Amino acid sequence: MGETRTASIGESGRRQSRINGLNTKKARTRGNNLMHKMNLKRALFAERALDAFRAEVGLDAIGDTVTDLMSDIGHLCDAKELDFLALLAKAIGDWKLEQTNPESVDVRPMVKIEVVS
């Protein structure tokens, strides 16, 4: 799936860019804070991966695509004998640290994942 880029002039008269529907000038976190430029770049990389996965499996909803890709990565880890939960916990710690300070090299917060059946 190709990348779609558009640009428009916003209310303030400033140019606003969109890549695949993600407003690169006004992307906000759930706390309504503007996303740091570095995290926005990371989000765009992830969006490209999701677009490629979505094209392969035929999903439309982004939430379904994210969860399906994550579970398929778990199957890949099984096949490659990698500890999926440890890698996922590390990724969540990195994500949380980058939310606080996108360019930080501090120690990531500890994340513990427990699967209860």
Side-chain angles (χ1 to χ4, degrees), residues 24-116:
T24 59
K25 299 292 183 191
K26 292 188 174 181
R28 294 185 177 271
T29 64
R30 284 189 177 196
N32 207 28
N33 298 318
L34 284 174
M35 282 186 78
H36 187 278
K37 187 177 183 179
M38 185 73 119
N39 288 342
L40 183 58
K41 186 175 182 180
R42 291 174 175 126
L44 292 171
F45 291 151
E47 187 175 48
R48 287 182 189 140
L50 277 178
D51 286 345
F53 182 75
R54 183 182 296 136
E56 284 292 317
V57 298
L59 293 172
D60 288 327
I62 191 165
D64 292 340
T65 305
V66 170
T67 56
D68 200 38
L69 175 59
M70 291 172 69
S71 64
D72 285 358
I73 289 172
H75 297 303
L76 174 63
C77 288
D78 291 344
K80 299 285 187 177
E81 298 181 358
L82 299 170
D83 186 341
F84 176 61
L85 293 181
L87 294 171
L88 186 57
K90 180 181 179 215
I92 292 169
D94 289 345
W95 163 76
K96 192 62 180 169
L97 178 63
E98 290 164 358
Q99 274 189 320
T100 307
N101 184 353
E103 297 176 9
S104 179
V105 291
D106 291 337
V107 177
R108 77 182 61 84
M110 188 180 107
V111 175
K112 181 179 177 182
I113 300 173
E114 182 180 358
V115 178
V116 180

